[in-house]
Amino acid sequence: IPEQEDEISSSPTAPYQSPPPHLCCPITKHLMTDPVLVVDEGQTYEREAILEWWRVQQEATGQTQVTSPLTGLPLASQQLAPNLVVRSQCQEWVQDELATLAAMAIS
């Protein structure tokens, strides 16, 4: 039952908490492990997800022009830059989550 699963995973006593939305890729909705900034747009995505998004678009249209997954607007460039701040935040969240789980296992 999906509604019950959402209640369980978001409860403070649940063994696993969902990552904060700002640490999740807008395409996959999963915690990012290799976050990259799309320079032309200023949005961060999981590297594999944005590259796949663009690949599928290019195959479907036969053009090199790509669009933003969030706005649908054309992007002037496909330049990516590692988002080290978000990567660090994701790693910190995982470490905190692991520490919480370890503490729960001990008690």
Side-chain angles (χ1 to χ4, degrees), residues 14-28:
Y16 172 78
Q17 298 294 314
S18 296
H22 70 280
L23 300 181
C24 295
C25 174
I27 298 170
T28 66

Side-chain angles (χ1 to χ4, degrees), residues 12-75:
T13 58
Y16 172 78
Q17 298 294 314
S18 296
H22 70 280
L23 300 181
C24 295
C25 174
I27 298 170
T28 66
K29 307 296 187 218
H30 295 124
L31 181 69
M32 292 183 275
T33 58
D34 187 12
V36 292
L37 180 72
V38 176
V39 174
D40 189 45
E41 167 181 51
Q43 179 63 46
T44 298
Y45 301 93
E46 180 67 25
R47 182 184 303 271
E48 287 183 32
I50 191 64
L51 292 175
E52 177 68 7
W53 174 270
W54 289 342
R55 185 190 66 74
V56 168
Q57 263 194 338
Q58 289 170 332
E59 285 181 5
T61 64
Q63 300 178 5
T64 57
Q65 179 70 47
V66 294
T67 62
S68 162
L70 293 180
T71 66
L73 297 173
L75 298 172

Side-chain angles (χ1 to χ4, degrees), residues 15-16 91-105:
Y16 172 78
Q91 291 170 343
E92 184 177 319
W93 183 86
V94 168
Q95 291 303 316
D96 290 348
E97 194 66 17
L98 290 173
T100 300
L101 291 172
M104 290 175 68

